[in-house]
């Protein structure tokens, strides 16, 4: 897997790590005419991750959180902002049930989620 964690490449990296998101990305591009990373992360990726968690799909969830952790710790400030705002914030880590779940995320993601508590 290629880890392009630049702002322009991170959506492709996420979909490469989690091919179950391919249909959502295709629909996103059809609807928007292009990839809008913040919209994809907030409106497609965040609900997908929440659904995987609620379904108890640890394998998919693990892949999602691993690539999001890598993106959040990349040196690209725009990528960091994308994950921090359009994923972490979209998940709603201030909600008690989500807060408890987010505390068990990989370290950088968990720390970012804790800033919303």
């Amino acid at each position: 897997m290629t880890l392009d964690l630049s702002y322009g490449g991170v959506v492709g990296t996420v979909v490469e790590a989690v091919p179950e998101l391919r249909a959502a990305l295709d629909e996103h591009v059809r609807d928007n005419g292009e990839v809008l990373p913040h919209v994809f992360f907030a409106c497609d990726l965040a609900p997908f991750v929440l659904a995987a968690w609620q379904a108890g799909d640890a394998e998919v969830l693990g892949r999602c959180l691993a690539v999001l952790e890598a993106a959040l710790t990349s040196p690209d400030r725009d990528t960091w902002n994308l994950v921090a705002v359009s994923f972490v914030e979209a998940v709603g880590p201030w909600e008690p049930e989500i807060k408890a779940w987010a505390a068990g995320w990989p370290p950088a993601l968990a720390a970012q989620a804790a800033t919303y508590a």
Side-chain angles (χ1 to χ4, degrees):
M1 178 170 68
T2 305
L3 284 180
D4 180 354
L5 300 175
S6 68
Y7 182 76
V10 72
V11 171
T13 296
V14 168
V15 173
E16 186 177 345
V18 188
E20 295 88 343
L21 284 164
R22 171 56 60 193
L25 179 59
D26 292 346
E27 182 177 346
H28 171 89
V29 171
R30 273 193 308 274
D31 291 347
N32 297 291
E34 62 183 317
V35 175
L36 303 173
H38 279 277
V39 174
F40 182 77
F41 269 53
C43 298
D44 297 298
L45 180 57
F48 177 85
V49 171
L50 282 168
W53 170 60
Q54 291 167 337
D57 193 338
E59 195 273 327
V60 168
L61 189 58
R63 285 186 282 127
C64 290
L65 294 177
V67 73
L68 287 164
E69 178 78 357
L72 188 65
T73 58
S74 84
D76 189 320
R77 190 73 179 155
D78 291 332
T79 300
W80 178 90
N81 186 52
L82 175 64
V83 177
V85 174
S86 293
F87 173 74
V88 175
E89 188 173 326
V91 168
W94 52 85
E95 297 293 337
E97 187 177 359
I98 303 297
K99 182 178 179 179
W101 169 53
W105 287 354
L109 281 170
Q112 184 60 40
T115 67
Y116 292 101

